[in-house]
Amino acid sequence: MNTRDDIPLFASSPTNIQVDNKGRLRHFLSIEGLKKKVLCDILDTAESFSSVPEQSIKKVPLLRGKTIVNLFFENSTRTRTTFELAAKRLSADVINLNITTSAASKGESLLDTLHNLEAMHSDMFVVRHALSGAAHFIAQHVSPNISVINAGDGQHAHPTQALLDMFTIRRHKGEFGALKVAIVGDILHSRVARSQIQALTTLGTNEVRIIAPKTLIPAHATTLGVHIYHDLKEGLRGVDVVIMLRLQSERMQGALLPSEHEYFHLFGLTEEKLDVAKSDAIVMHPGPINRGVEMDSAVADGVRSVILEQVTHGISVRMAVMSMAMQQGEN
């Protein structure tokens, strides 16, 4: 059995196993089902960690003696680096398991790999996988003393990315109740968009809009509590926050778009199109950016862009999630 055969295609709601009997975070697999208080606690804890990089020694001792294993079955540079940096700033020992050279690539099942890592007294698995439900599957099968953090699974969820986006929005705009937020681009294939929508609605955002061609909007979009637009300028009018998404060509099957040039003409963000948003609107992107396809460089590098701030905040948010998940069992 290989690593793909023993993972369900789409997990059921992981709500029950994400928190302990006192409502505290145990695993972090999805935004779905988590209460607003849990999300706010993560954002507040991340705020308390935001000054750590400014210290002469950029570390706190919270997870000293703990071992965190980064299990990345799917390539990622930025996400894995920020998880690794976050763990090290919490003083944890970090192992980056290279899946392409591990026993899993030689036929060992995922569960055998996990049980071997458990035998090495690991305390947390950070998991990225191409299949939806992978992190949930792992959380169901690990020992009770191990926490699992989802670093992105298939088209299902990317909860830490969503919360670092919420952290960035809150830093610039304060509370969510008066905000209008537009998410633009490849909604259909985006685990980030799914988690962002769940986080924004849980935090009480006044209005969440999704803007995309009809071919890039999921069939169930109307059930997500969002307003749907197919015209970029119409959808951006009067919004406080613009979140652009990466066009995920590697996940597309068939001709969903006429061409990248045509996509940029209709849905690529330019200064001229951004002018219909509020004058103090911020522009975000989870990266990596396809310049000239999703947005113009003048916008990506412009005064309203907070894209690099998102990267910085990702470390604080991941420190918060790791520390909260690891410490809940010690009280």
Side-chain angles (χ1 to χ4, degrees), residues 7-12 131-138 140 150 153-154 156-157:
I7 295 174
L9 279 179
F10 212 95
S12 57
L131 291 184
S132 300
H136 185 218
F137 174 85
I138 290 171
Q140 286 180 309
N150 185 3
D153 62 327
H156 175 224

Side-chain angles (χ1 to χ4, degrees), residues 275-320:
D275 280 344
V276 301
K278 288 185 178 177
S279 58
D280 62 347
I282 58 173
V283 176
M284 306 170 68
H285 193 300
I289 304 169
N290 293 314
R291 293 172 182 257
V293 177
E294 294 134 16
M295 63 168 60
D296 192 78
S297 286
V299 178
D301 303 326
V303 294
R304 289 190 274 188
S305 171
V306 296
I307 295 169
L308 290 180
E309 288 183 42
Q310 291 175 260
V311 178
T312 300
H313 295 157
I315 299 171
S316 299
V317 168
R318 284 161 181 147
M319 289 174 71

Side-chain angles (χ1 to χ4, degrees), residues 14-314:
T15 305
N16 291 339
I17 65 171
Q18 288 200 98
V19 295
D20 65 11
N21 56 10
K22 295 182 179 179
R24 299 173 301 186
L25 201 66
R26 180 170 180 270
H27 304 292
F28 193 46
L29 310 174
S30 169
I31 302 293
E32 184 180 10
L34 289 180
K35 295 182 178 179
K36 180 179 179 179
K37 182 181 184 307
V38 175
L39 302 189
C40 289
D41 284 348
I42 294 172
L43 298 180
D44 291 343
T45 305
E47 194 69 57
S48 73
F49 287 134
S50 61
S51 62
V52 172
E54 299 168 5
Q55 300 173 3
S56 57
I57 297 176
K58 301 180 179 61
K59 284 194 174 189
V60 292
L62 285 175
L63 298 188
R64 181 179 294 161
K66 301 292 187 182
T67 301
I68 295 175
V69 181
N70 285 330
L71 285 166
F72 275 58
F73 296 86
E74 190 179 58
N75 289 332
S76 167
T77 300
R78 176 171 29 209
T79 301
R80 193 178 75 170
T81 301
T82 55
F83 266 109
E84 181 176 355
L85 199 50
K88 288 181 174 177
R89 287 188 176 163
L90 292 167
S91 302
D93 297 317
V94 183
I95 297 171
N96 293 309
L97 191 64
N98 189 342
I99 299 301
T100 59
T101 58
S102 73
S105 68
K106 301 173 184 175
E108 183 179 76
S109 76
L110 176 59
L111 290 181
D112 283 340
T113 301
L114 294 176
H115 294 326
N116 276 285
L117 292 169
E118 287 179 0
M120 300 174 195
H121 301 289
S122 302
D123 298 290
M124 173 177 283
F125 296 147
V126 178
V127 179
R128 189 183 187 102
H129 204 290
L131 291 184
S132 300
H136 185 218
F137 174 85
I138 290 171
Q140 286 180 309
H141 290 85
V142 295
S143 299
N145 62 302
I146 294 180
S147 294
V148 177
I149 307 298
N150 185 3
D153 62 327
Q155 296 172 208
H156 175 224
H158 198 346
T160 59
Q161 176 66 50
L163 277 199
L164 74 87
D165 295 336
M166 299 306 110
F167 186 86
T168 305
I169 292 172
R170 196 174 77 163
R171 272 285 184 95
H172 282 269
K173 299 295 181 182
E175 295 304 313
F176 290 81
L179 298 182
K180 295 180 180 178
V181 178
I183 304 173
V184 185
D186 188 357
I187 311 292
L188 178 64
H189 300 98
S190 177
R191 57 195 173 203
V192 174
R194 181 182 171 91
S195 292
Q196 287 169 338
I197 291 168
Q198 291 168 344
L200 287 165
T201 53
T202 301
L203 291 168
T205 304
N206 179 35
E207 185 175 327
V208 181
R209 304 176 183 179
I210 58 174
I211 309 170
K214 291 181 180 178
T215 52
L216 294 183
I217 289 184
H220 67 285
T222 54
T223 67
L224 301 176
V226 299
H227 299 261
I228 301 172
Y229 292 84
H230 302 299
D231 181 277
L232 182 58
K233 276 193 172 181
E234 185 182 344
L236 292 182
R237 196 171 305 282
V239 301
D240 302 276
V241 178
V242 183
I243 304 176
M244 302 301 294
L245 298 175
R246 185 173 71 85
L247 203 58
Q248 301 191 50
S249 303
E250 75 278 10
R251 296 184 186 276
M252 294 184 187
Q253 296 178 349
L256 298 179
L257 296 171
S259 69
E260 290 185 346
H261 176 78
E262 181 70 7
Y263 179 82
F264 179 71
H265 174 67
L266 294 174
F267 292 95
L269 189 62
T270 63
E271 291 281 12
E272 184 262 337
K273 293 172 184 170
L274 185 57
D275 280 344
V276 301
K278 288 185 178 177
S279 58
D280 62 347
I282 58 173
V283 176
M284 306 170 68
H285 193 300
I289 304 169
N290 293 314
R291 293 172 182 257
V293 177
E294 294 134 16
M295 63 168 60
D296 192 78
S297 286
V299 178
D301 303 326
V303 294
R304 289 190 274 188
S305 171
V306 296
I307 295 169
L308 290 180
E309 288 183 42
Q310 291 175 260
V311 178
T312 300
H313 295 157

